[in-house]
Amino acid sequence: MLAKGSLLLLLVMLIGAIAFAVLSLQDDGATAPAGLPLTKPIAQAPKAPLETAVPAQQASPQPDATQLLAKAMSTSAAERTFHFVLDKSVAALPDAPDSAMQIAVTGQFHAPDRIEGSVVLSTSADSAAIDFIIIDSAVYVRDHEDGAWQQPDIETLIAQLILDNASLAVRQFSQGAPSNPIVVDEPLLYGLPVYHVRGVLLGESEREQRPSAGTIDFWISKEDNRIYRIKSDSDSPGSGKVQLQVDYAAFGTPVLIAAPRLADAGNAADPLRVADSDLLQEQ
């Protein structure tokens, strides 16, 4: 009896050990022996997602500077009205140390030939502020202190300075295109996106087969293709070193420019005669 009981107990213990071994293999994810199916699937590592190539952002190609400038000058020249601010600096000539001059003009233009504004002329000796109206080749002036309008002889020195420099702001749109223009960058001007174009000034130096001594820059709006700033820096034997900047605004806004009522002769001092004798006697 004892032998049979011991044998039965041994058999039960052997069966339990085999069952425990099978369950351990299943929990470890190992392959089950033949004929014993797995009760839990083997976990698989997740697949890495496929990488999608993101195309690089390509910078928009810059326009041809020559065509861009030609179109901008044509568009701006076609405008009937605009406002402008001109600043011009003329360095002293070597043989005339007192000939340096600063010219500041604020004005408005109405096509084809009317300009109204004010000019401040400054030399090392003095300065003068004068209002002006230009209609065709006639120049009317009024100094800030006197208040009376005068129409001087067009040959008067200061009348010529006013006519030449006020007209200079208008002539910028019709001058010849500079040589070898390039697009320098694309900044903001007054908050507007613009193309900044630079070229080499043409003039007597080129016709004489000598290197041009100057550059000119244009700031052209990307939105309306108008020129909003022109800046030049030149140096020539005849006129010396000249720096010029003209800013433009209010294209197409209504502008009314009419000839003023002139003061009676003898009622007011002639501001041009005063300026010619005191301000520009060195010229």
Side-chain angles (χ1 to χ4, degrees):
M1 293 296 290
L2 291 175
K4 289 184 179 180
S6 299
L7 182 61
L8 180 60
L9 179 60
L10 181 62
L11 181 61
V12 170
M13 293 176 63
L14 180 60
I15 293 173
I18 294 174
F20 179 80
V22 171
L23 290 176
S24 298
L25 289 173
Q26 290 181 356
D27 289 341
D28 292 339
T31 304
L36 295 177
L38 293 174
T39 59
K40 183 169 67 174
I42 300 175
Q44 296 182 357
K47 294 183 179 180
L50 296 177
E51 295 184 1
T52 303
V54 179
Q57 295 289 336
Q58 295 184 353
S60 56
Q62 289 183 336
D64 179 86
T66 301
Q67 296 179 3
L68 174 66
L69 185 56
K71 184 177 180 181
M73 294 183 73
S74 176
T75 300
S76 302
E79 292 291 343
R80 301 285 297 171
T81 61
F82 55 78
H83 293 201
F84 66 88
V85 176
L86 178 147
D87 287 297
K88 182 178 179 181
S89 174
V90 182
L93 295 173
D95 56 348
D98 295 330
S99 62
M101 180 181 296
Q102 298 286 333
I103 303 172
V105 184
T106 301
Q108 56 185 3
F109 167 75
H110 191 297
D113 54 16
R114 299 191 176 208
I115 308 174
E116 179 182 29
S118 61
V119 58
V120 177
L121 304 172
S122 304
T123 68
S124 59
D126 205 349
S127 65
I130 301 173
D131 297 328
F132 68 88
I133 293 176
I134 299 172
I135 299 179
D136 193 9
S137 59
V139 179
Y140 305 90
V141 298
R142 176 181 65 183
D143 73 348
H144 289 181
E145 294 182 1
D146 181 84
W149 285 98
Q150 307 280 332
Q151 184 179 8
D153 190 306
I154 194 60
E155 298 300 325
T156 308
L157 177 59
I158 202 166
Q160 281 293 319
L161 284 172
I162 293 173
L163 179 62
D164 290 346
N165 288 282
S167 301
L168 183 60
V170 179
R171 294 199 308 269
Q172 294 297 307
F173 296 145
S174 57
Q175 65 181 350
S179 176
N180 303 321
I182 60 171
V183 177
V184 178
D185 54 11
E186 301 179 25
L188 293 177
L189 181 67
Y190 310 130
L192 296 174
V194 296
Y195 292 111
H196 175 195
V197 178
R198 175 174 298 159
V200 178
L201 282 172
L202 302 179
E204 295 296 329
S205 58
E206 177 161 317
R207 287 195 289 271
E208 296 171 6
Q209 301 300 314
R210 294 184 299 172
S212 298
T215 58
I216 184 167
D217 295 70
F218 301 83
W219 283 260
I220 302 169
S221 170
K222 293 183 177 181
E223 297 178 357
D224 58 24
N225 205 51
R226 296 186 181 105
I227 298 174
Y228 281 86
R229 174 176 291 173
I230 298 176
K231 189 174 183 178
S232 64
D233 191 342
S234 61
D235 192 355
S236 63
S239 57
K241 186 174 183 179
V242 178
Q243 294 178 323
L244 173 70
Q245 178 173 313
V246 189
D247 288 273
Y248 300 91
F251 288 98
T253 58
V255 170
L256 177 62
I257 302 175
R261 178 177 295 180
L262 299 179
D264 294 335
N267 272 353
D270 185 348
L272 296 186
R273 186 171 302 152
V274 173
D276 276 348
S277 60
D278 296 342
L279 174 62
L280 302 172
Q281 56 186 348
E282 309 94 348
Q283 303 296 317

